Amino acid sequence: MPLTPRSPMLLAGLLAGAGVAHLAAPKPFDALVPRVLPGSPRTWTYASAAVELALAAGVALPRTRRTAALATAAFFVGVFPANVQMAVDWRRRPAPLRAAAIGRLPLQIPLVMWARNVAKAAPGTAAGAEPGAASGNKA
């Protein structure tokens, strides 16, 4: 999937929106926290929000984009157990809700790939190198 120049900002917006949602309405997210994790689900919800907001800021800034986008890909892999927990917990809910919970599982793959592609195209990388960067010219 080719990236547009807006792609990093769209990814940052997705992360920021998710972070704000976790803070504004934490209760639904608390229910997704895998029960095997220690501590309060609310703590994990707020920690997830903080990580999402930090990743959003990192992806938005060209200087930190590559590292933040790679961390975002790892984060999307790391939250996969919460999506599995949701699918398990929602298996007796009405069909549309069940379908949404199950549909989230394969959605992680394009999210991970999107974040990886943003990292590859980031300034300073081979795909996102700025003019003159390859030759070592500094203007």
Side-chain angles (χ1 to χ4, degrees), residues 1 11 14 73 76-77 79-80 83-84 86 99-115:
M1 165 163 77
L11 179 60
L14 173 81
F76 286 148
V77 170
V79 299
F80 185 74
N83 293 343
V84 171
M86 181 181 183
I102 292 168
R104 286 184 64 164
L105 299 175
L107 179 61
Q108 292 303 111
I109 295 168
L111 289 173
V112 170
M113 298 308 294
W114 183 14

PDB file of all heavy atoms in Angstrom, residues 1 11 14 73 76-77 79-80 83-84 86 99-115:
ATOM      1  N   MET A   1       0.844  -1.163   0.000  1.00  0.00           N
ATOM      2  CA  MET A   1       0.000   0.000   0.000  1.00  0.00           C
ATOM      3  C   MET A   1       0.896   1.235   0.000  1.00  0.00           C
ATOM      4  O   MET A   1       1.629   1.465   0.950  1.00  0.00           O
ATOM      5  CB  MET A   1      -0.901  -0.032   1.237  1.00  0.00           C
ATOM      6  CG  MET A   1      -1.574   1.265   1.538  1.00  0.00           C
ATOM      7  SD  MET A   1      -2.972   1.141   2.654  1.00  0.00           S
ATOM      8  CE  MET A   1      -2.215   0.947   4.239  1.00  0.00           C
ATOM      9  N   LEU A  11      -2.114   8.428  10.744  1.00  0.00           N
ATOM     10  CA  LEU A  11      -1.772   7.454  11.785  1.00  0.00           C
ATOM     11  C   LEU A  11      -1.694   8.149  13.139  1.00  0.00           C
ATOM     12  O   LEU A  11      -2.219   7.639  14.140  1.00  0.00           O
ATOM     13  CB  LEU A  11      -0.457   6.750  11.445  1.00  0.00           C
ATOM     14  CG  LEU A  11       0.036   5.716  12.450  1.00  0.00           C
ATOM     15  CD1 LEU A  11      -0.975   4.588  12.642  1.00  0.00           C
ATOM     16  CD2 LEU A  11       1.394   5.151  12.002  1.00  0.00           C
ATOM     17  N   LEU A  14      -5.185   8.784  14.320  1.00  0.00           N
ATOM     18  CA  LEU A  14      -5.813   7.559  14.826  1.00  0.00           C
ATOM     19  C   LEU A  14      -5.348   7.269  16.249  1.00  0.00           C
ATOM     20  O   LEU A  14      -6.158   6.979  17.132  1.00  0.00           O
ATOM     21  CB  LEU A  14      -5.488   6.374  13.911  1.00  0.00           C
ATOM     22  CG  LEU A  14      -5.951   5.014  14.422  1.00  0.00           C
ATOM     23  CD1 LEU A  14      -7.426   4.830  14.118  1.00  0.00           C
ATOM     24  CD2 LEU A  14      -5.140   3.894  13.801  1.00  0.00           C
ATOM     25  N   ALA A  73       3.984   0.045  15.619  1.00  0.00           N
ATOM     26  CA  ALA A  73       3.775  -1.313  15.088  1.00  0.00           C
ATOM     27  C   ALA A  73       3.862  -2.328  16.226  1.00  0.00           C
ATOM     28  O   ALA A  73       3.015  -3.231  16.330  1.00  0.00           O
ATOM     29  CB  ALA A  73       4.801  -1.624  13.995  1.00  0.00           C
ATOM     30  N   PHE A  76       0.721  -2.098  18.357  1.00  0.00           N
ATOM     31  CA  PHE A  76      -0.427  -2.767  17.738  1.00  0.00           C
ATOM     32  C   PHE A  76      -0.344  -4.287  17.926  1.00  0.00           C
ATOM     33  O   PHE A  76      -1.368  -4.940  18.132  1.00  0.00           O
ATOM     34  CB  PHE A  76      -0.527  -2.419  16.255  1.00  0.00           C
ATOM     35  CG  PHE A  76      -1.010  -1.023  15.961  1.00  0.00           C
ATOM     36  CD1 PHE A  76      -0.565  -0.346  14.839  1.00  0.00           C
ATOM     37  CD2 PHE A  76      -1.911  -0.378  16.790  1.00  0.00           C
ATOM     38  CE1 PHE A  76      -1.011   0.931  14.541  1.00  0.00           C
ATOM     39  CE2 PHE A  76      -2.366   0.908  16.513  1.00  0.00           C
ATOM     40  CZ  PHE A  76      -1.911   1.563  15.379  1.00  0.00           C
ATOM     41  N   VAL A  77       0.845  -4.833  17.883  1.00  0.00           N
ATOM     42  CA  VAL A  77       1.012  -6.267  18.160  1.00  0.00           C
ATOM     43  C   VAL A  77       0.732  -6.530  19.643  1.00  0.00           C
ATOM     44  O   VAL A  77       0.049  -7.496  19.993  1.00  0.00           O
ATOM     45  CB  VAL A  77       2.432  -6.745  17.777  1.00  0.00           C
ATOM     46  CG1 VAL A  77       2.684  -8.158  18.273  1.00  0.00           C
ATOM     47  CG2 VAL A  77       2.633  -6.660  16.259  1.00  0.00           C
ATOM     48  N   VAL A  79      -1.218  -4.986  21.767  1.00  0.00           N
ATOM     49  CA  VAL A  79      -2.608  -4.889  22.215  1.00  0.00           C
ATOM     50  C   VAL A  79      -3.493  -5.978  21.600  1.00  0.00           C
ATOM     51  O   VAL A  79      -4.683  -6.057  21.928  1.00  0.00           O
ATOM     52  CB  VAL A  79      -3.225  -3.490  21.952  1.00  0.00           C
ATOM     53  CG1 VAL A  79      -2.458  -2.417  22.712  1.00  0.00           C
ATOM     54  CG2 VAL A  79      -3.305  -3.177  20.482  1.00  0.00           C
ATOM     55  N   PHE A  80      -2.923  -6.800  20.756  1.00  0.00           N
ATOM     56  CA  PHE A  80      -3.701  -7.879  20.142  1.00  0.00           C
ATOM     57  C   PHE A  80      -4.394  -8.765  21.184  1.00  0.00           C
ATOM     58  O   PHE A  80      -5.556  -9.132  20.992  1.00  0.00           O
ATOM     59  CB  PHE A  80      -2.826  -8.712  19.204  1.00  0.00           C
ATOM     60  CG  PHE A  80      -3.587  -9.755  18.454  1.00  0.00           C
ATOM     61  CD1 PHE A  80      -4.420  -9.401  17.402  1.00  0.00           C
ATOM     62  CD2 PHE A  80      -3.480 -11.096  18.792  1.00  0.00           C
ATOM     63  CE1 PHE A  80      -5.134 -10.359  16.700  1.00  0.00           C
ATOM     64  CE2 PHE A  80      -4.190 -12.057  18.098  1.00  0.00           C
ATOM     65  CZ  PHE A  80      -5.016 -11.697  17.054  1.00  0.00           C
ATOM     66  N   ASN A  83      -7.757  -7.518  21.983  1.00  0.00           N
ATOM     67  CA  ASN A  83      -8.741  -7.789  20.936  1.00  0.00           C
ATOM     68  C   ASN A  83      -9.228  -9.238  21.010  1.00  0.00           C
ATOM     69  O   ASN A  83     -10.408  -9.516  20.780  1.00  0.00           O
ATOM     70  CB  ASN A  83      -8.167  -7.488  19.559  1.00  0.00           C
ATOM     71  CG  ASN A  83      -7.896  -6.015  19.364  1.00  0.00           C
ATOM     72  OD1 ASN A  83      -8.392  -5.177  20.101  1.00  0.00           O
ATOM     73  ND2 ASN A  83      -7.100  -5.688  18.381  1.00  0.00           N
ATOM     74  N   VAL A  84      -8.330 -10.149  21.336  1.00  0.00           N
ATOM     75  CA  VAL A  84      -8.723 -11.551  21.523  1.00  0.00           C
ATOM     76  C   VAL A  84      -9.667 -11.656  22.715  1.00  0.00           C
ATOM     77  O   VAL A  84     -10.695 -12.333  22.653  1.00  0.00           O
ATOM     78  CB  VAL A  84      -7.487 -12.459  21.706  1.00  0.00           C
ATOM     79  CG1 VAL A  84      -7.889 -13.864  22.117  1.00  0.00           C
ATOM     80  CG2 VAL A  84      -6.654 -12.489  20.423  1.00  0.00           C
ATOM     81  N   MET A  86     -11.650  -9.399  23.846  1.00  0.00           N
ATOM     82  CA  MET A  86     -12.944  -8.864  23.435  1.00  0.00           C
ATOM     83  C   MET A  86     -13.725  -9.900  22.629  1.00  0.00           C
ATOM     84  O   MET A  86     -14.931 -10.103  22.866  1.00  0.00           O
ATOM     85  CB  MET A  86     -12.737  -7.597  22.602  1.00  0.00           C
ATOM     86  CG  MET A  86     -14.006  -6.943  22.131  1.00  0.00           C
ATOM     87  SD  MET A  86     -13.556  -5.490  21.154  1.00  0.00           S
ATOM     88  CE  MET A  86     -15.174  -4.870  20.795  1.00  0.00           C
ATOM     89  N   ALA A  99     -19.590  -9.880  15.363  1.00  0.00           N
ATOM     90  CA  ALA A  99     -18.858  -9.686  14.102  1.00  0.00           C
ATOM     91  C   ALA A  99     -17.825  -8.568  14.247  1.00  0.00           C
ATOM     92  O   ALA A  99     -16.701  -8.686  13.731  1.00  0.00           O
ATOM     93  CB  ALA A  99     -19.827  -9.389  12.973  1.00  0.00           C
ATOM     94  N   ALA A 100     -18.184  -7.488  14.931  1.00  0.00           N
ATOM     95  CA  ALA A 100     -17.242  -6.384  15.132  1.00  0.00           C
ATOM     96  C   ALA A 100     -16.041  -6.835  15.962  1.00  0.00           C
ATOM     97  O   ALA A 100     -14.897  -6.500  15.649  1.00  0.00           O
ATOM     98  CB  ALA A 100     -17.940  -5.216  15.810  1.00  0.00           C
ATOM     99  N   ALA A 101     -16.301  -7.609  17.003  1.00  0.00           N
ATOM    100  CA  ALA A 101     -15.210  -8.086  17.857  1.00  0.00           C
ATOM    101  C   ALA A 101     -14.286  -9.025  17.101  1.00  0.00           C
ATOM    102  O   ALA A 101     -13.062  -8.941  17.230  1.00  0.00           O
ATOM    103  CB  ALA A 101     -15.788  -8.785  19.090  1.00  0.00           C
ATOM    104  N   ILE A 102     -14.853  -9.897  16.307  1.00  0.00           N
ATOM    105  CA  ILE A 102     -14.037 -10.827  15.523  1.00  0.00           C
ATOM    106  C   ILE A 102     -13.322 -10.078  14.396  1.00  0.00           C
ATOM    107  O   ILE A 102     -12.158 -10.350  14.092  1.00  0.00           O
ATOM    108  CB  ILE A 102     -14.901 -11.985  14.990  1.00  0.00           C
ATOM    109  CG1 ILE A 102     -15.358 -12.852  16.168  1.00  0.00           C
ATOM    110  CG2 ILE A 102     -14.150 -12.813  13.962  1.00  0.00           C
ATOM    111  CD1 ILE A 102     -16.434 -13.853  15.826  1.00  0.00           C
ATOM    112  N   GLY A 103     -14.004  -9.094  13.808  1.00  0.00           N
ATOM    113  CA  GLY A 103     -13.413  -8.319  12.724  1.00  0.00           C
ATOM    114  C   GLY A 103     -12.205  -7.502  13.143  1.00  0.00           C
ATOM    115  O   GLY A 103     -11.350  -7.185  12.318  1.00  0.00           O
ATOM    116  N   ARG A 104     -12.125  -7.166  14.418  1.00  0.00           N
ATOM    117  CA  ARG A 104     -10.960  -6.413  14.909  1.00  0.00           C
ATOM    118  C   ARG A 104      -9.683  -7.239  14.854  1.00  0.00           C
ATOM    119  O   ARG A 104      -8.598  -6.672  14.761  1.00  0.00           O
ATOM    120  CB  ARG A 104     -11.192  -5.991  16.356  1.00  0.00           C
ATOM    121  CG  ARG A 104     -12.168  -4.861  16.508  1.00  0.00           C
ATOM    122  CD  ARG A 104     -12.268  -4.444  17.931  1.00  0.00           C
ATOM    123  NE  ARG A 104     -10.974  -3.911  18.389  1.00  0.00           N
ATOM    124  CZ  ARG A 104     -10.814  -3.203  19.467  1.00  0.00           C
ATOM    125  NH1 ARG A 104     -11.844  -2.950  20.234  1.00  0.00           N
ATOM    126  NH2 ARG A 104      -9.635  -2.754  19.820  1.00  0.00           N
ATOM    127  N   LEU A 105      -9.811  -8.554  14.940  1.00  0.00           N
ATOM    128  CA  LEU A 105      -8.606  -9.390  14.998  1.00  0.00           C
ATOM    129  C   LEU A 105      -7.738  -9.246  13.749  1.00  0.00           C
ATOM    130  O   LEU A 105      -6.562  -8.904  13.860  1.00  0.00           O
ATOM    131  CB  LEU A 105      -8.988 -10.846  15.272  1.00  0.00           C
ATOM    132  CG  LEU A 105      -9.710 -11.083  16.607  1.00  0.00           C
ATOM    133  CD1 LEU A 105     -10.149 -12.523  16.727  1.00  0.00           C
ATOM    134  CD2 LEU A 105      -8.833 -10.674  17.768  1.00  0.00           C
ATOM    135  N   PRO A 106      -8.279  -9.476  12.543  1.00  0.00           N
ATOM    136  CA  PRO A 106      -7.411  -9.326  11.361  1.00  0.00           C
ATOM    137  C   PRO A 106      -7.085  -7.863  11.049  1.00  0.00           C
ATOM    138  O   PRO A 106      -6.143  -7.599  10.303  1.00  0.00           O
ATOM    139  CB  PRO A 106      -8.223  -9.971  10.235  1.00  0.00           C
ATOM    140  CG  PRO A 106      -9.634  -9.954  10.693  1.00  0.00           C
ATOM    141  CD  PRO A 106      -9.584 -10.039  12.201  1.00  0.00           C
ATOM    142  N   LEU A 107      -7.817  -6.922  11.627  1.00  0.00           N
ATOM    143  CA  LEU A 107      -7.538  -5.508  11.383  1.00  0.00           C
ATOM    144  C   LEU A 107      -6.160  -5.115  11.912  1.00  0.00           C
ATOM    145  O   LEU A 107      -5.540  -4.175  11.407  1.00  0.00           O
ATOM    146  CB  LEU A 107      -8.619  -4.639  12.041  1.00  0.00           C
ATOM    147  CG  LEU A 107      -8.462  -3.131  11.903  1.00  0.00           C
ATOM    148  CD1 LEU A 107      -8.502  -2.722  10.431  1.00  0.00           C
ATOM    149  CD2 LEU A 107      -9.537  -2.417  12.679  1.00  0.00           C
ATOM    150  N   GLN A 108      -5.649  -5.833  12.883  1.00  0.00           N
ATOM    151  CA  GLN A 108      -4.328  -5.513  13.426  1.00  0.00           C
ATOM    152  C   GLN A 108      -3.243  -5.638  12.365  1.00  0.00           C
ATOM    153  O   GLN A 108      -2.264  -4.900  12.403  1.00  0.00           O
ATOM    154  CB  GLN A 108      -3.999  -6.415  14.615  1.00  0.00           C
ATOM    155  CG  GLN A 108      -4.846  -6.186  15.843  1.00  0.00           C
ATOM    156  CD  GLN A 108      -4.805  -4.777  16.364  1.00  0.00           C
ATOM    157  OE1 GLN A 108      -5.790  -4.058  16.285  1.00  0.00           O
ATOM    158  NE2 GLN A 108      -3.694  -4.362  16.885  1.00  0.00           N
ATOM    159  N   ILE A 109      -3.410  -6.541  11.422  1.00  0.00           N
ATOM    160  CA  ILE A 109      -2.375  -6.752  10.397  1.00  0.00           C
ATOM    161  C   ILE A 109      -2.170  -5.490   9.557  1.00  0.00           C
ATOM    162  O   ILE A 109      -1.033  -5.003   9.453  1.00  0.00           O
ATOM    163  CB  ILE A 109      -2.683  -7.987   9.533  1.00  0.00           C
ATOM    164  CG1 ILE A 109      -2.611  -9.240  10.399  1.00  0.00           C
ATOM    165  CG2 ILE A 109      -1.713  -8.084   8.350  1.00  0.00           C
ATOM    166  CD1 ILE A 109      -3.169 -10.490   9.743  1.00  0.00           C
ATOM    167  N   PRO A 110      -3.224  -4.896   8.964  1.00  0.00           N
ATOM    168  CA  PRO A 110      -2.970  -3.672   8.205  1.00  0.00           C
ATOM    169  C   PRO A 110      -2.500  -2.503   9.080  1.00  0.00           C
ATOM    170  O   PRO A 110      -1.744  -1.654   8.605  1.00  0.00           O
ATOM    171  CB  PRO A 110      -4.300  -3.360   7.523  1.00  0.00           C
ATOM    172  CG  PRO A 110      -5.310  -4.239   8.141  1.00  0.00           C
ATOM    173  CD  PRO A 110      -4.594  -5.369   8.798  1.00  0.00           C
ATOM    174  N   LEU A 111      -2.903  -2.468  10.338  1.00  0.00           N
ATOM    175  CA  LEU A 111      -2.417  -1.409  11.222  1.00  0.00           C
ATOM    176  C   LEU A 111      -0.910  -1.549  11.456  1.00  0.00           C
ATOM    177  O   LEU A 111      -0.171  -0.551  11.406  1.00  0.00           O
ATOM    178  CB  LEU A 111      -3.168  -1.428  12.555  1.00  0.00           C
ATOM    179  CG  LEU A 111      -4.619  -0.971  12.518  1.00  0.00           C
ATOM    180  CD1 LEU A 111      -5.283  -1.197  13.877  1.00  0.00           C
ATOM    181  CD2 LEU A 111      -4.723   0.486  12.095  1.00  0.00           C
ATOM    182  N   VAL A 112      -0.470  -2.763  11.700  1.00  0.00           N
ATOM    183  CA  VAL A 112       0.966  -3.007  11.889  1.00  0.00           C
ATOM    184  C   VAL A 112       1.724  -2.650  10.613  1.00  0.00           C
ATOM    185  O   VAL A 112       2.770  -1.981  10.661  1.00  0.00           O
ATOM    186  CB  VAL A 112       1.236  -4.477  12.305  1.00  0.00           C
ATOM    187  CG1 VAL A 112       2.722  -4.804  12.255  1.00  0.00           C
ATOM    188  CG2 VAL A 112       0.674  -4.744  13.696  1.00  0.00           C
ATOM    189  N   MET A 113       1.208  -3.075   9.468  1.00  0.00           N
ATOM    190  CA  MET A 113       1.876  -2.790   8.192  1.00  0.00           C
ATOM    191  C   MET A 113       1.900  -1.284   7.915  1.00  0.00           C
ATOM    192  O   MET A 113       2.897  -0.759   7.405  1.00  0.00           O
ATOM    193  CB  MET A 113       1.188  -3.535   7.053  1.00  0.00           C
ATOM    194  CG  MET A 113       1.228  -5.056   7.201  1.00  0.00           C
ATOM    195  SD  MET A 113       2.884  -5.717   7.488  1.00  0.00           S
ATOM    196  CE  MET A 113       3.647  -5.326   5.941  1.00  0.00           C
ATOM    197  N   TRP A 114       0.827  -0.591   8.223  1.00  0.00           N
ATOM    198  CA  TRP A 114       0.764   0.856   8.034  1.00  0.00           C
ATOM    199  C   TRP A 114       1.864   1.534   8.860  1.00  0.00           C
ATOM    200  O   TRP A 114       2.619   2.370   8.339  1.00  0.00           O
ATOM    201  CB  TRP A 114      -0.613   1.351   8.432  1.00  0.00           C
ATOM    202  CG  TRP A 114      -0.886   2.811   8.245  1.00  0.00           C
ATOM    203  CD1 TRP A 114      -0.159   3.720   7.516  1.00  0.00           C
ATOM    204  CD2 TRP A 114      -1.975   3.538   8.798  1.00  0.00           C
ATOM    205  NE1 TRP A 114      -0.747   4.959   7.577  1.00  0.00           N
ATOM    206  CE2 TRP A 114      -1.873   4.885   8.369  1.00  0.00           C
ATOM    207  CE3 TRP A 114      -3.051   3.187   9.612  1.00  0.00           C
ATOM    208  CZ2 TRP A 114      -2.785   5.864   8.724  1.00  0.00           C
ATOM    209  CZ3 TRP A 114      -3.961   4.171   9.959  1.00  0.00           C
ATOM    210  CH2 TRP A 114      -3.822   5.489   9.519  1.00  0.00           C
ATOM    211  N   ALA A 115       1.960   1.172  10.113  1.00  0.00           N
ATOM    212  CA  ALA A 115       2.976   1.772  10.976  1.00  0.00           C
ATOM    213  C   ALA A 115       4.384   1.462  10.452  1.00  0.00           C
ATOM    214  O   ALA A 115       5.254   2.340  10.429  1.00  0.00           O
ATOM    215  CB  ALA A 115       2.805   1.284  12.412  1.00  0.00           C
TER     216      ALA A 115
END
